[in-house]
Amino acid sequence: MKMKALAEAIILQSFEDLWDKVHRNESLEFFKDGGFDFYAGVAGLGPEGKLKLLDMFKTHLAEESRTKSEKEETLTGGLK
């Protein structure tokens, strides 16, 4: 397997793991400790590409969080 393809697969798996309770902390560490920067470089992503990818997932996470809050409010009838 080419290094670029492997790096891309590692990045995608790390993003997917953000939604897995078992692997979420490991995934967050990957992004915090420089793993993402390293593999993004191997994958050929420059600063703009990395920022665009991170913004895309940040937007998705925010939307997911908003949707989850709305569902919880619906289930509880707005009671907290």
Side-chain angles (χ1 to χ4, degrees):
M1 180 180 264
K2 294 181 180 180
M3 290 301 292
K4 180 178 178 182
L6 179 59
E8 291 169 352
I10 290 169
I11 292 169
L12 291 174
Q13 184 63 54
S14 294
F15 276 118
E16 186 175 320
D17 287 347
L18 287 171
W19 286 270
D20 183 341
K21 290 180 183 180
V22 174
H23 298 290
R24 182 174 293 140
N25 288 335
E26 294 168 351
S27 181
L28 290 171
E29 284 300 314
F30 172 80
F31 293 102
K32 289 180 189 176
D33 74 3
F36 173 72
D37 285 332
F38 173 78
Y39 286 104
V42 173
L45 286 173
E48 288 182 18
K50 290 190 284 188
L51 186 58
K52 189 173 185 176
L53 188 60
L54 290 172
D55 282 344
M56 180 179 70
F57 281 98
K58 181 181 172 185
T59 300
H60 183 74
L61 286 172
E63 177 65 24
E64 182 179 272
S65 178
R66 185 184 63 76
T67 302
K68 183 178 178 185
S69 294
E70 289 174 354
K71 286 180 183 177
E72 288 174 352
E73 188 173 315
T74 300
L75 291 173
T76 62
L79 301 174
K80 290 195 178 196

